């Protein structure tokens, strides 16, 4: 009598090397945590392959310090409490012992993030890991006034002689702190390849002399991010001399990000404002000289918040000299595309660009935008903001010309491009676009009735590749929602990420009638609300309209950012609603959504410096959480 045995092959039968490769390729932290709970074998594999870890909790609870992550190379200590106090101030043991225990638990560290209220924790930790390559400092509190200049940063340059990357973008300090430490340790400064000084807390930014000194002592920088004072009304503003010093001192730059602090703080533009009040102190001749000296550039961001006029010739030089340039972001640059008949100029000649962002270009018209689409034929990502002269006709023609490559679009602060206008302009790529941002200003479709049906484009020039362009006719009916194809549905088939901006008091429910109701693969939505609710006695409706998001079957993540809503945190005046009622307005219906993750930022009262979760909001979030295994994060108190 014979017996038959059946064997079942499972994923646990895979060789360890393959299993290690599979688990180590999972980048999402929550997915890694879930995988580690499958079995003891998977737990061991996860612990031995995880390279990044963020520690939370209280620093005095040493018994909770994990010791099983021996392969960690990136450690984040910026979330350790107690907040508002130095890291080791409440430790029951000697601070040096705590730092030694961290060294024993994470022996192979190469990257560190730490909240540094004073130099002591940084001094102790850099002694334990002298071979750190990357350090990021975080501090939102005021800089201690009795500290000497650069005292916060000196421990890094004293103890970490091989540091390659320094990030101070979230570190509250003075601009005077940076140049002295670079001057005192020139050998260490010359090793830096990445320096991030793009800090929005700097109210004025770095002055011209400071920019010259920083670039002088860091000649090997490949990535440079800095907030500069371009305001010509101030003494020492960044002008021609400082700009030229960047290209002369740091010729190896591949990523350059120059921004005025106003551009970092005021992300949105005024719809009624065209040109800025004054012109920047940077001339076109200087830009040509700078671009000529940075031949290795791959990504450039230049947002000065002040007028840079007639910059078309400078952008042409940028295209001819920076042959590796793939990503360009510019703000307050005027004259970027001024085509005459069929001849392209300026930005339209940058044929190698794959990502483009233009902000506050006051003289950009439909024809200029169409010329950019004709020349920059490889664009896959495009952002337009604060361009008041661009209309549905120009935007739709732009999209038609780039219909084969464009998959990510952001339209904001454009006077003629509200929600319905933007969606109408994007119809030609609705079956291909993957990521979209629009401003939910609910304009009327009837506003487009006076727009004629087609646009004729005549190309009679040889591009840089020697290809002859011919005249073509783009036919479409802006008043026909089917875009000329009989029976075509309004399905945004590949849209995965949707971002929406609302003014306070506006409703989400008109989204259902704006041709965005059919998004079968939408996974993530970000909603940002801004404004002063003290100007309203109460909302027009009972609820914001979160329930309508139930139309999206695969929606699993949502960010609801009400952090820029200003109101009364405590007792409101007669006839006004306090912030607790406004929170109920925006969160009402959250429990009906089948979300897995919610990131919520409550509104604030700036007069009393309070941002906290109200009782109605806590009740609605609790209703959301009890419906299943879900993750919610929100700030509980002001920083």
């Amino acid at each position: 009598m014979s017996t038959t045995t059946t064997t079942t092959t499972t994923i646990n039968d895979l060789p360890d090397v393959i299993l290690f490769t599979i688990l180590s390729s999972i980048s999402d932290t929550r997915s890694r945590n879930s995988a580690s709970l499958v079995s003891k074998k998977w737990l061991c594999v996860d612990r031995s392959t995880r390279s990044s870890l963020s520690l939370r909790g209280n620093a005095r609870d040493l018994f909770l310090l994990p010791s099983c992550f021996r392969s960690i190379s990136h450690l984040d200590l910026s979330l350790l409490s107690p907040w508002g106090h130095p890291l080791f101030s409440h430790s029951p043991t000697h601070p040096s012992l705590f730092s030694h225990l961290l060294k024993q638990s994470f022996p192979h560290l190469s990257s560190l993030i730490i909240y540094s209220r004073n130099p002591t924790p940084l001094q102790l930790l850099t002694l334990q890991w002298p071979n750190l390559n990357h350090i990021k400092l975080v501090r939102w509190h005021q800089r201690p006034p009795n500290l000497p200049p650069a005292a916060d940063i000196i421990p890094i340059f004293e103890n970490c002689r091989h540091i390659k990357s320094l990030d101070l973008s979230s570190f509250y300090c003075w601009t005077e702190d940076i140049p002295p430490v670079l001057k005192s340790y020139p050998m260490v400064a010359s090793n830096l390849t990445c320096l991030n000084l793009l800090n929005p807390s700097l109210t004025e930014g770095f002055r011209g002399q400071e920019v010259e000194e920083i670039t002088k002592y860091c000649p090997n920088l490949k990535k440079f991010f800095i907030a500069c004072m371009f305001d010509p009304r101030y003494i020492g503003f960044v002008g021609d001399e400082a700009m030229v010093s960047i290209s002369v001192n740091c010729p190896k730059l591949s990523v350059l990000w120059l921004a005025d602090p106003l551009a970092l703080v005021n992300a949105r533009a005024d719809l009624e404002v065209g040109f800025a009040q004054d012109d920047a102190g940077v001339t076109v001749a200087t830009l040509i000289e700078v671009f000529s000296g940075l031949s290795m550039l791959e990504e450039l961001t230049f947002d000065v918040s002040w007028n840079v006029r007639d910059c078309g010739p400078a952008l042409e030089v940028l295209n001819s000299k920076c042959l590796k340039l793939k990503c360009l972001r510019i703000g307050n640059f005027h004259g970027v595309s001024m085509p005459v008949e069929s001849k392209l100029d300026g930005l339209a000649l940058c044929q190698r660009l794959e990502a483009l962002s233009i902000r506050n270009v006051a003289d950009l018209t439909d024809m200029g935008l169409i010329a950019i689409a004709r020349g920059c034929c490889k664009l896959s990502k495009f952002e337009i903001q604060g361009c008041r002269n661009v209309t549905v006709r120009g935007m739709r023609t732009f999209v038609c010309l780039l219909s084969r490559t464009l998959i990510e679009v952001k339209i904001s602060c454009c006077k003629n491009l509200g929600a319905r206008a933007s969606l109408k302009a994007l119809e030609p790529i609705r079956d291909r676009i993957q990521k979209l941002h629009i401003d939910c200003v609910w304009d009327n479709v009837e506003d487009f009735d006076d727009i004629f049906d087609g646009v004729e484009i005549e190309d009679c020039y040889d591009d840089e590749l020697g290809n002859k362009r011919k005249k073509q006719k783009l036919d479409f009916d802006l008043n026909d929602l089917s875009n000329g194809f009989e029976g075509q549905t309004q399905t945004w088939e590949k849209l995965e990420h949707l971002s929406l901006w609302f003014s306070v008091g506006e409703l989400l429910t008109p989204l259902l009638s704006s041709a965005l109701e059919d998004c079968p693969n939408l996974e993530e939505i970000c909603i940002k609300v801004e404004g002063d609710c003290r100007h309203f006695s109460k909302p027009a409706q009972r609820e914001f309209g979160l329930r309508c998001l139930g139309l999206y079957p695969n929606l699993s993540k949502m960010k609801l950012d009400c952090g820029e809503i200003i109101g009364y945190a405590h007792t409101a005046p007669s006839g006004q609603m306090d912030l607790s009622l406004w929170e109920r307005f925006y969160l009402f219906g959250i429990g009906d959504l089948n979300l897995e993750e919610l990131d919520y930022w409550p509104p604030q009262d700036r007069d009393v410096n309070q941002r906290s979760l109200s009782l109605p909001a806590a009740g609605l979030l609790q209703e959301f959480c009890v419906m299943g295994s879900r993750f919610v994060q929100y700030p509980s108190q002001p920083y």
Side-chain angles (χ1 to χ4, degrees):
M1 188 173 178
S2 62
T3 59
T4 303
T5 59
T6 59
T7 59
T8 302
T9 303
T10 65
I11 194 172
N12 286 324
D13 297 320
L14 288 174
D16 290 346
V17 177
I18 298 179
L19 188 59
F20 272 53
T21 304
I22 294 174
L23 289 183
S24 60
S25 64
I26 301 176
S27 58
D28 182 65
T29 302
R30 297 187 68 205
S31 299
R32 285 291 297 255
N33 294 340
S34 300
S36 66
L37 300 176
V38 172
S39 64
K40 289 186 177 180
K41 181 179 180 180
W42 284 42
L43 178 64
C44 294
V45 172
D46 171 68
R47 297 300 186 259
S48 59
T49 59
R50 189 174 294 216
S51 60
S52 178
L53 186 67
S54 297
L55 292 184
R56 291 173 172 83
N58 201 304
R60 66 171 178 265
D61 299 328
L62 295 181
F63 67 94
L64 295 177
L65 186 66
S67 59
C68 54
F69 299 95
R70 308 296 294 178
S71 300
I72 293 295
S73 59
H74 172 78
L75 182 62
D76 186 354
L77 301 178
S78 63
L79 302 176
L80 283 179
S81 59
W83 266 76
H85 301 278
L87 181 60
F88 302 139
S89 62
H90 289 71
S91 176
T93 61
H94 195 275
S96 59
L97 176 60
F98 185 32
S99 61
H100 182 72
L101 290 175
L102 285 171
K103 167 67 175 179
Q104 293 296 108
S105 300
F106 311 104
H108 305 296
L109 212 61
S110 61
S111 175
L112 178 66
I113 303 178
I114 180 175
Y115 193 98
S116 178
R117 190 173 177 86
N118 63 35
T120 304
L122 190 60
Q123 176 71 35
L124 294 172
L125 292 176
T126 52
L127 285 173
Q128 298 297 330
W129 293 295
N131 294 321
L132 287 173
N133 293 325
H134 170 77
I135 294 179
K136 179 178 180 179
L137 301 184
V138 180
R139 181 171 65 197
W140 302 112
H141 291 87
Q142 289 283 343
R143 180 190 186 277
N146 55 347
L147 280 180
D152 285 307
I153 310 169
I154 285 178
I156 299 175
F157 288 79
E158 277 185 346
N159 303 323
C160 301
R161 299 284 178 171
H162 305 288
I163 187 170
K164 300 291 185 182
S165 174
L166 179 60
D167 189 345
L168 302 178
S169 59
S170 302
F171 185 68
Y172 185 89
C173 62
W174 296 341
T175 58
E176 296 87 348
D177 291 333
I178 310 300
V181 69
L182 298 177
K183 183 178 180 180
S184 301
Y185 299 89
M187 294 300 295
V188 181
S190 64
N191 290 332
L192 287 175
T193 58
C194 179
L195 181 59
N196 192 339
L197 303 175
L198 202 68
N199 196 329
S201 65
L202 300 175
T203 55
E204 296 181 358
F206 288 86
R207 299 177 181 271
Q209 182 63 33
E210 293 167 338
V211 172
E212 294 178 26
E213 293 180 4
I214 291 171
T215 55
K216 176 183 176 181
Y217 295 114
C218 302
N220 295 313
L221 284 178
K222 295 182 179 179
K223 297 181 180 180
F224 187 34
F225 309 82
I226 186 169
C228 300
M229 186 178 67
F230 288 105
D231 191 341
R233 299 171 298 179
Y234 283 79
I235 298 175
F237 66 91
V238 174
D240 293 339
E241 245 181 87
M243 289 298 303
V244 171
S245 69
I246 296 177
S247 60
V248 172
N249 296 332
C250 304
K252 300 179 182 179
L253 284 174
S254 61
V255 178
L256 177 60
W257 194 307
L258 304 172
D260 191 275
L262 290 176
L264 300 178
V265 177
N266 302 324
R268 295 185 57 83
D270 189 345
L271 298 182
E272 301 300 329
V273 176
F275 291 93
Q277 182 179 357
D278 293 312
D279 292 346
V282 181
T283 62
V284 174
T286 298
L287 291 178
I288 293 175
E289 184 177 354
V290 171
F291 296 154
S292 300
L294 297 175
S295 60
M296 305 298 292
L297 270 185
E298 300 177 13
E299 179 179 342
L300 173 64
T301 300
F302 204 154
D303 196 338
V304 298
S305 293
W306 305 94
N307 300 319
V308 180
R309 300 179 186 270
D310 303 322
C311 60
L315 295 174
E316 294 177 10
V317 173
L318 177 67
N319 173 64
S320 61
K321 298 296 183 180
C322 305
L323 302 181
K324 297 182 179 181
L325 188 67
K326 302 293 183 183
C327 179
L328 177 63
R329 304 180 188 91
I330 52 175
N332 289 87
F333 275 47
H334 308 296
V336 297
S337 178
M338 309 290 288
V340 178
E341 297 181 351
S342 62
K343 185 177 180 181
L344 301 184
D345 69 336
L347 184 56
L349 295 178
C350 299
Q351 296 185 352
R352 290 174 292 273
L353 286 180
E354 297 176 3
L356 174 63
S357 173
I358 50 179
R359 181 175 182 266
N360 299 344
V361 182
D363 55 1
L364 182 66
T365 63
D366 286 346
M367 295 310 299
L369 187 66
I370 293 171
I372 293 174
R374 288 164 53 198
C376 305
C377 55
K378 297 181 180 179
L379 283 181
S380 61
K381 300 178 181 179
F382 178 68
E383 175 183 350
I384 182 170
Q385 178 177 345
C387 299
R388 57 184 304 184
N389 296 324
V390 175
T391 66
V392 183
R393 174 185 175 229
M395 191 65 202
R396 182 156 180 148
T397 309
F398 176 90
V399 168
C400 286
L401 290 170
L402 296 173
S403 59
R404 295 183 178 181
T405 60
L406 201 60
I407 59 173
E408 183 175 329
V409 178
K410 179 178 180 180
I411 304 174
S412 63
C413 301
C414 294
K415 184 178 181 180
N416 299 312
L417 293 173
R420 293 187 178 92
S422 298
L423 294 175
K424 187 177 249 323
L426 295 175
E427 281 179 1
I429 60 169
R430 63 170 176 262
D431 58 339
R432 290 178 292 275
I433 190 170
Q434 299 176 10
K435 191 172 182 179
L436 171 64
H437 171 90
I438 58 172
D439 288 352
C440 290
V441 179
W442 304 115
D443 41 18
N444 296 319
V445 179
E446 288 77 9
D447 296 340
F448 314 138
D449 289 342
D450 58 341
I451 302 176
F452 52 85
D453 293 345
V455 60
E456 187 176 277
I457 300 174
E458 183 177 0
D459 287 340
C460 302
Y461 74 101
D462 293 326
D463 60 20
E464 290 187 353
L465 301 179
N467 300 323
K468 175 70 74 175
R469 301 294 182 90
K470 298 180 180 179
K471 183 169 69 173
Q472 54 181 313
K473 173 81 172 179
L474 297 178
D475 293 311
F476 51 80
D477 184 359
L478 287 172
N479 300 312
D480 182 8
L481 292 179
S482 66
N483 195 26
F485 296 93
E486 187 70 26
Q488 185 172 357
T489 60
Q490 298 290 311
T491 301
W492 301 73
E493 184 177 351
K494 295 184 179 180
L495 186 64
E496 299 176 354
H497 179 98
L498 177 62
S499 176
L500 305 172
W501 177 89
F502 289 86
S503 176
V504 65
E506 292 285 343
L507 301 178
L508 179 62
T509 47
L511 190 69
L512 299 177
S513 59
S514 61
L516 258 181
E517 65 274 9
D518 192 0
C519 303
N521 295 309
L522 185 65
E523 298 177 356
E524 183 177 359
I525 186 168
C526 296
I527 299 175
K528 184 176 180 64
V529 187
E530 293 185 28
D532 192 342
C533 63
R534 295 174 296 186
H535 298 159
F536 302 85
S537 58
K538 63 179 182 178
Q541 301 291 334
R542 181 188 179 192
E543 58 181 290
F544 176 56
L546 289 182
R547 290 178 177 178
C548 70
L549 299 180
L551 288 174
Y552 306 129
N554 292 324
L555 186 63
S556 59
K557 297 181 180 180
M558 183 173 75
K559 179 178 180 180
L560 180 56
D561 186 357
C562 301
E564 295 300 322
I565 295 180
I566 305 171
Y568 299 104
H570 303 296
T571 304
S574 177
Q576 296 283 339
M577 290 171 46
D578 60 24
L579 288 180
S580 64
L581 299 179
W582 279 100
E583 281 196 274
R584 183 171 64 182
F585 166 74
Y586 282 107
L587 287 172
F588 195 88
I590 189 69
D592 297 334
L593 301 181
N594 189 27
L595 298 175
E596 297 178 0
E597 183 175 332
L598 172 65
D599 185 0
Y600 172 63
W601 286 78
Q604 60 179 315
D605 187 340
R606 293 180 180 174
D607 293 338
V608 297
N609 192 26
Q610 179 170 343
R611 185 206 300 274
S612 60
L613 202 64
S614 64
L615 289 178
L620 291 169
L621 291 176
Q622 183 183 17
E623 176 187 350
F624 167 77
C625 293
V626 298
M627 297 298 293
S629 177
R630 294 165 175 178
F631 176 72
V632 181
Q633 68 178 40
Y634 53 85
S636 59
Q637 282 293 342
Y639 293 124

